[in-house]
Every structure is written in structure tokens, then in C-alpha cells.
Amino acid sequence: MDVIHVPVMLEEVLAALELKSSGIYIDATLGLGGHAEGILQCAQGCTLIGIDRDENAIEIARERLKGFEKVHLIKNRFSNMKDVVNSLGYEKVNGIILDAGVSTLHLKAEGRGFSFMRDEPLDMRMDQSSDLTAEKVVNSYKEKDLADIIYQYGEERYSRRIAKSIVFARRKNRITSCKELATIIEKAVGRRGRIHPATRSFQALRIKVNSELDELSKAVDSGAELLEEKGRFCVLSYHSLEDRIVKNAFRKLAKEGLFRIITKKPIVPEREEQKLNPSSRSAKLRVAEKI
Ligand SMILES: C[S@@+](CC[C@H](N)C(=O)[O-])C[C@H]1O[C@@H](n2cnc3c(N)ncnc32)[C@H](O)[C@@H]1O
């Protein structure tokens, strides 16, 4: 299947990285290789280390980037980026881009279980070799734990009602498909406005299954250690929970005298980009520089 993921705020990211052809750069969320390709084209001759926990994404990116030299693509979690870089024989890098969240591959490819629009198994694992699936969470977690996950990671005000309906429904039959879960949620809270009522719960489950927030805070610390003086750290986040983690982590590192914050306020996509690529609409770019 042909999936295209349009890299978000590509020009802004390339400018913020202050690329040079002798530099070593990490794309901590390689995805389908959009930002990585931009870096390699812009800083010809540079070294690129691309990391993704999704084997399929790495394969697609490998094909896309095969014309470039000095490219290392590694399947791993970005919280391990320091180990990845060290295992390749590098100590320091000149820039890092981390583009959090899911890619088009997750949402559009069949059978990944991220979308409430599709009738497919409730999976949501970015790394398909990991153990925890959304189906496991939905069918085995206690009602209170489900409610907490949906509240904390989905910022869903009807979390208790939704958790109760899930537990009620699973007593009859195991909940196995995305559509089934979306219907249970819709019945529990009704439809209001344009946004599907399952949106926040699906976000919450995805965050839980992939430990996304924990990964993100560890990645900022790991990346901070790796950066060379004047090296730039660019993070694209897509919802308030992610953005808060990045903002606070950058501030803490700035207080400790390790970082200079470049973006006092996050950069958001131009209106034109938001129109052309609706999935960029919620993006926020924060940039910090190692001192
Ligand atoms: C928004 S996409 C990146 C898209 C990419 N910038 C591009 O232009 O094609 C995010 C990617 O990060 C990966 N990812 C998310 N969390 C990760 C983690 N903790 N460790 C490694 N990769 C992760 C996902 O598998 C996904 O492929």
C-alpha cells in the first residue's frame, strides 16, 4: 500500500536545526522519512541517524532514503537514543528532530487498529512486537483504571461513564474491534459537535499502549545529553499533554544552565499548511539549543 505522510513544518524544522554538511543529526521519529529526507537534501554530506519503533516505517523510509550515504536506520524507542547513538560509535550530535505521535501509516494502513473509523482489531501498538495491545487494556483493566487512563490521557470529561459502558459491554462479549469500541463510546456519551465522541478515548488508549508520555520525557533528557554545544533540539507535539512535557522539560534544562530556549512561544503551522495538510493543525514546534 502507498502511504504518504506529509512532514509537518518541514521548512521551519530545517531552519531551526541550523544544518551543516559536516553535522550528525538524529531523526528520533523517522516515520516515513519526510523530515529525514529534508535534512539529507538540505545538509548534503551530513550523517543521519533515524530511529523508529515501528519496523514497517523503517522499511518504507529505507527505500525512500536509499540514494543517500551516511544514513543509519535503527528500530528502537527514542527514549534509548543515547544508547543507539553510542552503539553506532558516535558520542555527540548536532541536532535532533522528534516529531511525536502517530504517522499516516498507523492511521491509514490496514490492521493497525488506531482508527475508530475502521472495523479492525483493537491493536494500536506502534511496535508490533510489544506485548500490550488496546484490546488487552479494554478487556482486562479495572473500571477505575480505565476511567483514569481515559481521563488523564484523553482529557475526557465523560471518562467514568465511558469506562462503565466498556465494562458493561465486555461482560457479554470481549470487545475486539475498533468500530465496536467506538460504538460503545458513542452510545455512552452521545454525539455532540463535529468531533467523534470516541476521539479522546482512542487517544488515551494509544498513549497508554505505547507509553507515549513517559517515552517523551525520557527522550528529552537522553537527547539533551547527546547534543553538542549549540546543537538544536526540535520537538513537534500534537496535543496539550505532549506540549506541556516538552515545555516543562526545556524550561528545567534551561534553569539548570544546559539549554537556551529558542522558541519562547511554540511555532505553529502557517494557515496555508494547515489547509493543505489538516493533520498539521494541532502541531506545535518547540526548539531549544544546548549551551
Ligand atoms: C508523526 S510520525 C513521524 C513522521 C516523520 N517525521 C515523517 O516525516 O515521515 C511519528 C513516528 O514516530 C514513531 N514513534 C512514536 N513513538 C516512538 C518512540 N517512543 N520511539 C521510537 N519511535 C516512535 C512512530 O512509530 C511514527 O512512525
Side-chain angles (χ1 to χ4, degrees):
M1 151 178 205
D2 277 345
V3 257
I4 295 171
H5 179 94
V6 183
V8 172
M9 282 193 264
L10 180 61
E11 278 184 29
E12 291 85 341
V13 167
L14 297 177
L17 283 170
E18 299 200 320
L19 298 163
K20 47 185 191 217
S21 51
S22 58
I24 302 171
Y25 299 97
I26 302 179
D27 184 341
T29 47
L30 181 69
L32 305 186
H35 287 103
E37 185 181 59
I39 292 171
L40 288 159
Q41 282 168 344
C42 210
Q44 286 180 19
C46 76
T47 300
L48 182 107
I49 302 167
I51 302 171
D52 204 293
R53 67 191 341 195
D54 185 330
E55 188 78 54
N56 297 339
I58 299 252
E59 283 319 306
I60 296 172
R62 197 180 297 288
E63 187 57 30
R64 181 172 186 170
L65 304 178
K66 66 181 178 203
F68 296 97
E69 287 167 18
K70 297 202 268 181
V71 174
H72 308 272
L73 304 186
I74 311 287
K75 177 183 181 279
N76 209 319
R77 284 177 285 126
F78 52 52
S79 55
N80 288 332
M81 71 173 103
K82 189 163 184 293
D83 292 343
V84 169
V85 168
N86 294 159
S87 71
L88 292 168
Y90 301 106
E91 286 295 321
K92 293 280 175 196
V93 300
N94 303 93
I96 301 169
I97 164 70
L98 192 157
D99 177 15
V102 279
S103 76
T104 315
L105 178 67
H106 297 134
L107 297 172
K108 298 274 163 68
E110 266 171 46
R112 301 298 303 262
F114 284 91
S115 167
F116 48 74
M117 312 291 273
R118 303 174 77 118
D119 197 12
E120 57 186 26
L122 256 179
D123 189 317
M124 299 197 194
R125 289 170 303 168
M126 290 178 183
D127 175 356
Q128 289 176 293
S129 65
S130 63
D131 287 335
L132 189 63
T133 62
E135 187 187 328
K136 218 181 212 175
V137 175
V138 164
N139 288 287
S140 67
Y141 279 35
K142 288 190 195 126
E143 183 176 326
K144 181 183 178 310
D145 295 340
L146 275 176
D148 288 348
I149 288 167
I150 295 170
Y151 181 70
Q152 282 165 17
Y153 299 154
E155 299 185 292
E156 168 64 71
R157 55 203 277 237
Y158 300 112
S159 58
R160 309 234 160 260
R161 205 191 288 178
I162 291 171
K164 199 175 179 127
S165 297
I166 290 174
V167 170
F168 183 75
R170 79 186 188 197
R171 273 197 208 116
K172 282 186 243 154
N173 280 313
R174 200 173 166 82
I175 304 165
T176 55
S177 96
C178 295
K179 237 188 173 160
E180 223 181 316
L181 178 62
T183 308
I184 292 166
I185 297 171
E186 188 171 354
K187 276 194 186 146
V189 300
R191 248 197 198 265
R192 300 180 186 80
R194 278 188 310 125
I195 295 173
H196 192 288
T199 308
R200 289 171 176 276
S201 304
F202 269 62
Q203 172 186 303
L205 286 169
R206 199 196 87 200
I207 291 175
K208 172 67 192 169
V209 166
N210 298 290
S211 310
E212 288 181 33
L213 303 183
D214 194 33
E215 275 290 307
L216 187 57
S217 35
K218 286 183 181 156
V220 178
D221 288 337
S222 182
E225 277 187 55
L226 279 172
L227 279 172
E228 216 35 293
E229 195 181 318
K230 289 206 168 301
R232 292 279 178 98
F233 203 146
C234 300
V235 184
L236 279 164
S237 64
Y238 294 86
H239 53 78
S240 54
L241 298 169
E242 285 173 345
D243 184 53
R244 205 172 305 143
I245 288 175
V246 180
K247 181 176 71 182
N248 291 337
F250 278 5
R251 277 192 186 157
K252 181 173 159 277
L253 288 159
K255 254 194 186 152
E256 290 167 4
L258 293 171
F259 267 14
R260 180 168 77 88
I261 293 173
I262 304 293
T263 46
K264 301 285 177 248
K265 282 209 168 126
I267 304 173
V268 296
E270 298 280 350
R271 201 172 289 191
E272 194 56 25
E273 176 171 4
Q274 295 189 32
K275 250 203 276 168
L276 288 172
N277 181 14
S279 39
S280 72
R281 276 191 301 231
S282 58
K284 287 191 172 147
L285 172 64
R286 291 190 185 268
V287 184
E289 182 179 89
K290 183 82 174 273
I291 294 177

